[in-house]
Amino acid sequence: MARYTGSKCRLCRREGGKLFLKGEKCFSSKCAVDKRAYPPGMHGQARRRTSDYGLQLREKQKLRRIYGVLEKQFAAYYDEADRRKGSTGENLLKLLECRTDNVVYRMGFGVSRSEARQLVRHNGVLINGTRTNIPSYQVKPSDKIELTAKAREQLRVKAAVEAAEQRGLPEWLEVDTKSMSGVFKAIPDRSELPSEINESLVVALYSK
């Protein structure tokens, strides 16, 4: 499966904001976006006029990179969101939020979604007592997510949980940081998700 192996900070700078791809580094003074708030490359600081299509494309790329989803998979999520009742944009965000790797990240078991995805891939996550190693698996309300005994002993997992406790956890999750387990209480409402995402631009792009 194809995956991006370049600099993650470069992606944040290209999208003009923090995508929180590097865990704790994103919250520190070492963040590349804080140091160089312009796109990478020799022409990064040049003034550019962005078309409506350009704005829509950048928003789609930003959303895709935040959740670590490839182009073909993202398009499939959009098609599913469009088939469902209600707002297509909100449906799209909810589908992405219900991914197993994202839920593990939201629970604080990984400092970034990529680290949470690795934890899932390496058989470190149980859903309702069953080992689940598919990052895209859709978690459902009332599902119990817990880490295996081996995963709970990892120093990076312990550090991630400690950092998450300090920043606070989402209200739609019930997390026991001591046992490193939790319950996905409900699919979050749009008001509970990041406001810097403009999903209407993504819908406008795919509607053409």
Side-chain angles (χ1 to χ4, degrees), residues 15-204:
E15 303 309 332
K18 295 185 180 186
L19 306 183
F20 299 98
L21 306 177
K22 292 284 286 183
E24 289 304 302
K25 183 179 179 180
C26 299
F27 298 95
S28 71
S29 58
K30 296 180 180 179
C31 178
V33 175
D34 292 336
K35 291 181 178 180
R36 299 182 295 277
Y38 51 85
M42 62 183 297
H43 300 297
Q45 297 185 67
R47 293 185 178 181
R48 297 179 181 178
R49 294 182 61 184
T50 306
S51 64
D52 290 341
Y53 173 79
L55 289 173
Q56 295 164 3
L57 179 62
R58 289 267 57 86
E59 197 66 24
K60 185 264 290 184
Q61 293 292 77
K62 180 172 74 173
L63 185 58
R64 191 171 66 80
R65 286 165 173 169
I66 286 174
Y67 289 95
V69 179
L70 295 175
E71 188 66 48
K72 187 175 180 181
Q73 193 175 20
F74 188 86
Y77 277 125
Y78 180 84
D79 289 341
E80 175 61 26
D82 194 35
R83 282 194 293 269
R84 296 188 177 189
K85 294 181 179 179
S87 168
T88 300
E90 289 187 27
N91 290 340
L92 176 61
L93 290 179
K94 289 176 180 179
L95 284 169
L96 294 169
E97 281 291 327
C98 288
R99 285 174 56 94
T100 297
D101 55 359
N102 179 76
V103 174
V104 171
Y105 164 71
R106 292 290 194 191
M107 286 185 164
F109 302 148
V111 295
S112 64
R113 286 182 177 85
S114 60
E115 189 172 290
R117 184 177 301 114
Q118 187 178 48
L119 196 60
V120 175
R121 285 285 191 194
H122 290 183
N123 297 306
V125 176
L126 303 175
I127 298 182
N128 298 325
T130 303
R131 197 179 300 273
T132 304
N133 60 6
I134 302 174
S136 61
Y137 176 81
Q138 290 282 299
V139 180
K140 302 175 183 63
S142 300
D143 279 354
K144 182 180 180 180
I145 294 88
E146 58 187 319
L147 300 187
T148 61
K150 185 177 180 180
R152 290 196 297 268
E153 293 302 314
Q154 294 183 23
L155 294 178
R156 64 173 183 171
V157 173
K158 291 180 179 179
V161 170
E162 186 177 338
E165 273 188 301
Q166 294 176 355
R167 286 195 296 270
L169 296 164
E171 293 184 359
W172 66 87
L173 301 173
E174 182 180 304
V175 182
D176 184 343
T177 55
K178 291 183 179 180
S179 65
M180 294 190 189
S181 64
V183 176
F184 185 75
K185 295 193 296 184
I187 298 173
D189 293 328
R190 179 63 186 93
S191 60
E192 298 175 295
L193 299 177
S195 58
E196 63 268 18
I197 296 174
N198 189 345
E199 67 275 11
S200 62
L201 291 177
V202 181
V203 174

